[in-house]
């Protein structure tokens, strides 16, 4: 079964520091992978997605992620954290059951300190 | 353009009472999803609609949960009777619904936060 694992339920960084949120996937077929962000009391918003067109995917708000098949990873990065980046981040894989079914990881809460 | 609309945003009920959540997807989106998000967890799919047809309801606890999307636009999710363990956030999402949709973006509403006492 296809799944994703997010390492670290909480990640703390200082403002201006590099952000690295880890996601590893399990899939027997080439996956479609997504990163969503959830701000408090809001729904999920798509940051970026990998659909096999390019291994380095750029998203909104300065985030990017690199698909590494050899490592089965799709880590999310941002060169310089901003206070407004504090939120919950979810990695998801699109399960190929005929129709799209997203399977989400457990999430990583990003804390940004001044 | 309006996003996915959900109401109510918050609901507090006593256990064994019924409750209903409403969702209006983005205009033109054929596919609608209901997700359950427990505290500290990622969303889990409850049911997926293609227009008015439920094409995946394998995760919906059918003894107490029901859903409908009668005209293929807005949708209602109902719980009857509610249990303490149903306290969670119920998210609605929609997507265009073209082809297999494997790489489609799902757009989420703000969710309904349910507390069962």
């Amino acid at each position: 079964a296809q799944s994703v694992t997010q390492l670290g339920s909480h990640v703390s960084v200082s403002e201006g520091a590099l952000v690295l949120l880890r996601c590893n996937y399990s899939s027997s077929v080439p996956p479609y992978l997504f990163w969503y962000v959830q701000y408090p009391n809001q729904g999920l918003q798509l940051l970026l997605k990998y659909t096999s067109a390019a291994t380095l995917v750029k998203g909104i708000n300065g985030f990017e992620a690199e698909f590494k098949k050899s490592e089965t990873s799709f880590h999310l990065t941002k060169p310089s954290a901003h206070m407004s980046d504090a939120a919950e981040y979810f990695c998801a894989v699109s399960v190929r059951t005929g129709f799209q079914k997203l399977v989400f990881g457990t999430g990583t809460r990003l804390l940004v300190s001044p | 353009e309006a996003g996915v609309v959900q109401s109510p945003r918050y609901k507090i009920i006593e256990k064994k009472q019924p409750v209903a959540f409403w969702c209006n997807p983005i205009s033109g989106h054929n596919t609608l999803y209901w997700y359950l998000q427990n505290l500290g967890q990622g969303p889990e799919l409850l049911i997926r609609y293609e227009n008015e047809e439920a094409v995946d309801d394998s995760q919906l606890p059918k003894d107490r949960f029901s859903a409908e999307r009668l005209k293929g636009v807005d949708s209602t999710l109902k719980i009857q009777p509610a249990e303490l363990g149903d306290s969670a956030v119920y998210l609605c999402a929609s997507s265009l619904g073209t082809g297999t949709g494997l790489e489609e973006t799902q757009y989420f509403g703000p969710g309904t936060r349910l507390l069962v006492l």
Side-chain angles (χ1 to χ4, degrees), chain A residues 36 38 41 43 49 94 100, chain B residues 9 48 102-104 106 109:
Chain A
Y36 279 85
Q38 186 175 33
N41 297 317
K49 61 181 177 182
S94 181
Q100 184 192 59
Chain B
R9 292 293 312 276
R48 170 193 173 120
L102 294 174
E103 56 186 83
E104 278 195 338
Q106 294 186 23

Side-chain angles (χ1 to χ4, degrees), chain A residues 32 34 36 38 41-46 49 51 90 94-102 104-107, chain B residues 9-10 33 35 37 40-43 45 48 50 55-56 59 91 100-106 108-110 113:
Chain A
Y32 293 119
F34 302 75
Y36 279 85
Q38 186 175 33
N41 297 317
Q42 295 187 28
L44 282 72
Q45 178 184 8
L46 181 70
K49 61 181 177 182
T51 59
F90 293 95
S94 181
V95 176
R96 299 188 176 206
T97 59
F99 294 97
Q100 184 192 59
K101 176 178 178 178
L102 285 181
F104 287 86
T106 53
Chain B
R9 292 293 312 276
Y10 304 91
Y33 313 77
Y35 287 88
Q37 186 177 21
Q41 299 294 317
L45 182 68
R48 170 193 173 120
E50 293 290 330
V55 297
D56 184 355
Q59 302 303 311
L91 294 166
T100 60
L102 294 174
E103 56 186 83
E104 278 195 338
T105 297
Q106 294 186 23
F108 286 79
R113 187 173 298 272

Side-chain angles (χ1 to χ4, degrees), chain A residues 36 41-44, chain B residues 1-9 22-35 69 73-75 90-96 105-112:
Chain A
Y36 279 85
N41 297 317
Q42 295 187 28
L44 282 72
Chain B
E1 179 182 308
V4 176
V5 179
Q6 291 189 246
S7 67
R9 292 293 312 276
W22 178 80
C23 172
N24 191 273
I26 293 173
S27 178
H29 281 196
N30 298 319
T31 306
L32 184 146
Y33 313 77
W34 282 103
Y35 287 88
R69 193 185 184 199
V73 181
D74 57 344
S75 175
Y90 293 82
L91 294 166
C92 179
S94 70
S95 64
L96 279 171
T105 297
Q106 294 186 23
Y107 296 86
F108 286 79
T112 296

Side-chain angles (χ1 to χ4, degrees), chain A residues 61-108:
Chain A
N61 302 339
F63 284 94
E64 64 182 35
E66 186 172 9
F67 174 75
K68 292 187 177 180
K69 183 178 179 180
S70 61
E71 299 177 8
T72 62
S73 68
F74 189 57
H75 301 333
L76 183 70
T77 60
K78 182 174 180 177
S80 177
H82 192 273
M83 296 294 290
S84 61
D85 294 327
E88 188 92 20
Y89 292 80
F90 293 95
C91 182
V93 62
S94 181
V95 176
R96 299 188 176 206
T97 59
F99 294 97
Q100 184 192 59
K101 176 178 178 178
L102 285 181
V103 175
F104 287 86
T106 53
T108 298

